[in-house]
Amino acid sequence: HRTGLKLKKSTTEKGARPPDALKTLGLTSQQATSILNYVNGQRSILEIRNTVVGETARDVSLDAVAGYLELLKTVGWIAW
């Protein structure tokens, strides 16, 4: 799984969590926020997923986390 995910833009900007995308990925807004919060350039997608599950006490698939990170990459919020 990818490591080196880096945050590129301020998380206060609009557009990182289109509601339809979250619904499609099966993520809650809390999970999406947690995913973004754990992007630090060091954690892998699996580490982010496991930390989010521990924090939110709700299961989230690795594919959903990877899909959300891909969305964030597409809109320019993260890079790898």
Side-chain angles (χ1 to χ4, degrees), residues 16-33 35 58-61 63-65 67-68 71:
R17 291 186 290 179
D20 291 342
L22 293 183
K23 185 176 180 181
T24 299
L25 292 167
L27 296 172
T28 66
S29 62
Q30 180 188 15
Q31 289 169 323
T33 298
I35 291 167
R58 294 188 67 183
D59 193 30
V60 59
S61 73
D63 287 341
V65 174
Y68 186 57
L71 171 68

Side-chain angles (χ1 to χ4, degrees), residues 47-58:
E47 289 170 318
I48 292 170
R49 181 252 174 217
N50 291 344
T51 304
V52 169
V53 168
E55 180 180 293
T56 63
R58 294 188 67 183

